[in-house]
Amino acid sequence: MPPFEEETSTRSPEAPVPPEAGASRHGRTLLLVAVGLGFVIALLSSSIKNTLTAFFVSMTEDFDVSRGTFAIAPSAFMLTYAVASPVMGYVADRFGARKSLAGGLVLGGVLFLVGGLTQSFAVFTLVYGVGLAISYTAISYVPLGVLVDEMFPPERRGVTYAILMNGTAVGFVALLPLWIQIDEGTVWRTVFQWLGVVLLVVTVIALFVLPKEPGGAAQGEAAAQPKSSQGMLSEVLGSRVFWTISLAFFGCGVTMAFVDVHLVAHLDHIGLGGTVASTTVALLGAAEIAGALIAGYYCDRGHGLKVLVTCYLVRSLSLVVLMAAPTALAANAFGLLFGITYLGTVVASSMYLINSLDARAKGLALGLMWFVHQIGSFVASEGGGISYDTLQSYDPVVVGSSVIALVSTVIIAVWLPRALRGAKTDGAGDAAPQPVAER
């Protein structure tokens, strides 16, 4: 059977959960409201990153530092996020997604207020690079993945997670272009302060709306018996599927960091200006919405491997298009191509781990996967700043990102089918438990 058609039909021992199982306790309406709130939280979490993308140049001028020096802040963010991801994954496993999300919202709200007021770049670096990175970790991909696992049975997790993650896509469509258009002088400080207030308000809502304990399959599986921290870590690190997905996810981190940190500055550098940048990120965000839902749909039907191979390959080609010519058409084409893959890799990779591992170790697995991702993000973030300061160009980072995305394509196409076959042979742990498995 060709690698791309590799189907993994192995099921986890958990029994199927009726669609209304989670809703029976909290009510269908409350469940939908919780999903809507998760979407809003994902939208707000995107502001932690897209404000820096939009205001990158203005912030460097406001703090009177070079772009290479200012890149220390987002680079520190990447490293802190890397370290905090497995920690927050463990916290979400132990205490539930609700507490993780509420704590992250409070921290983010306070630090947005502080970041908007400080005049010191050193203080800003600590606020953004360390504090807001921890906040972002606590309100983004990892705990939201655990929330989906707590609320929904396996066959509905892919699309549901895609819906939540589309909050970040709406951030690209609505918020990032808005920030770019209003970017002038020190307006970023006002934006930071308003975001701080909004995050604190959403904290109160989250505490009332989000479920206080897991429901559905996750509750039954987690309640089976306590699992030690060492046992959780051993299970994750012993999974061949985890290592294959995570090594490829390094390429996701490299390419995402270029978009999150340097894309707008790159378009400005090659003379395309704010209008083209706004259009490009809006197209990227719109394609991101569609791409996430498509990825979730196919993952829930057992085609995750195809999703990952396609996403990494298209992402590599999109960077080639961006390098091909400094034109608005090339930039817009890049936005569409990269956007369709932006959350596809996140959804498919996350669903692999959520549906492959013990419920008591899923947050930790997601956190460790994002640890690898953020190492790649750090390389691209800092590399972009150094490249511009030394060569007055972002081209080396664009080319390098394209090559690394191609390597991720090969890792998934060649290694993942072998890891999945090995998991089926082992008959436990690694086994991808449900239709998402073929990812």
Side-chain angles (χ1 to χ4, degrees):
M1 186 177 292
F4 293 5
E5 301 299 323
E6 177 80 9
E7 295 288 344
T8 305
S9 58
T10 307
R11 298 288 196 264
S12 68
E14 63 189 20
V17 179
E20 288 77 23
S24 62
R25 175 168 298 188
H26 306 290
R28 181 180 295 274
T29 301
L30 185 59
L31 191 65
L32 292 175
V33 171
V35 171
L37 180 60
F39 177 90
V40 171
I41 291 173
L43 169 64
L44 292 173
S45 74
S46 74
S47 296
I48 295 177
K49 296 173 72 175
N50 63 35
T51 47
L52 197 80
T53 302
F55 302 129
F56 190 93
V57 176
S58 294
M59 286 177 165
T60 61
E61 294 173 351
D62 190 11
F63 287 114
D64 193 24
V65 295
S66 70
R67 295 189 188 184
T69 299
F70 188 78
I72 293 174
S75 296
F77 182 102
M78 307 301 179
L79 286 181
T80 303
Y81 186 16
V83 175
S85 289
V87 175
M88 286 301 170
Y90 175 81
V91 169
D93 283 333
R94 285 295 189 186
F95 303 105
R98 177 176 177 268
K99 292 181 180 178
S100 172
L101 292 168
L105 287 167
V106 170
L107 180 63
V110 172
L111 291 178
F112 258 129
L113 293 172
V114 174
L117 294 173
T118 184
Q119 300 294 322
S120 167
F121 176 65
V123 173
F124 179 83
T125 299
L126 289 175
V127 167
Y128 184 85
V130 179
L132 282 174
I134 295 173
S135 169
Y136 182 77
T137 308
I139 62 175
S140 58
Y141 302 102
V142 175
L144 288 174
V146 174
L147 180 67
V148 169
D149 181 59
E150 291 176 350
M151 294 170 61
F152 291 94
E155 67 273 10
R156 295 172 60 185
R157 290 172 185 161
V159 169
T160 304
Y161 189 62
I163 291 172
L164 296 189
M165 291 303 95
N166 268 336
T168 62
V170 172
F172 264 101
V173 174
L175 296 181
L176 183 52
L178 173 63
W179 306 150
I180 292 173
Q181 291 302 316
I182 68 174
D183 182 21
E184 183 179 350
T186 60
V187 70
W188 70 268
R189 294 184 179 277
T190 302
V191 171
F192 264 49
Q193 291 165 28
W194 274 108
L195 286 172
V197 173
V198 171
L199 284 172
L200 293 175
V201 170
V202 172
T203 303
V204 178
I205 300 174
L207 289 173
F208 280 101
V209 171
L210 294 179
K212 295 183 179 181
E213 58 186 59
Q219 185 182 37
E221 191 176 345
Q225 60 180 359
K227 193 159 192 172
S228 68
S229 302
Q230 184 177 358
M232 293 163 63
L233 184 61
S234 297
E235 178 176 345
V236 174
L237 297 183
S239 167
R240 285 168 286 184
V241 175
F242 164 79
W243 282 110
T244 303
I245 292 294
S246 297
L247 287 174
F249 211 50
F250 176 88
C252 178
V254 169
T255 50
M256 274 191 174
F258 168 73
V259 170
D260 292 340
V261 179
H262 298 296
L263 175 61
V264 173
H266 172 69
L267 295 177
D268 177 71
H269 172 69
I270 62 178
L272 295 181
T275 300
V276 172
S278 297
T279 303
T280 298
V281 297
L283 289 172
L284 193 154
E288 189 179 336
I289 294 172
L293 294 174
I294 292 170
Y297 175 85
Y298 280 105
C299 284
D300 283 345
R301 283 153 182 79
H303 302 296
L305 192 150
K306 296 174 185 175
V307 170
L308 283 175
V309 168
T310 301
C311 285
Y312 282 123
L313 181 59
V314 171
R315 188 173 294 194
S316 178
L317 293 175
S318 72
L319 290 159
V320 173
V321 170
L322 187 64
M323 278 290 298
T327 65
L329 180 61
N332 293 339
F334 165 80
L336 285 171
L337 290 172
F338 195 102
I340 203 74
T341 76
Y342 192 93
L343 285 177
T345 55
V346 174
V347 171
S349 298
S350 299
M351 289 301 101
Y352 255 118
L353 301 189
I354 286 176
N355 292 299
S356 295
L357 296 165
D358 189 295
R360 294 154 294 186
K362 293 177 181 182
L364 179 61
L366 289 173
L368 288 169
M369 181 185 75
W370 280 97
F371 172 85
V372 176
H373 180 280
Q374 290 309 115
I375 298 301
S377 295
F378 171 79
V379 170
S381 174
E382 192 62 23
I386 294 172
S387 174
Y388 186 85
D389 280 357
T390 57
L391 303 175
Q392 294 297 298
S393 173
Y394 291 104
D395 289 351
V397 178
V398 178
V399 173
S401 297
S402 178
V403 171
I404 292 174
L406 189 60
V407 171
S408 294
T409 306
V410 175
I411 290 174
I412 294 297
V414 176
W415 290 359
L416 186 55
R418 298 176 183 176
L420 293 172
R421 285 194 292 268
K424 289 175 66 178
T425 301
D426 294 342
D430 270 14
Q434 53 94 39
V436 211
E438 181 243 68
R439 304 171 202 168

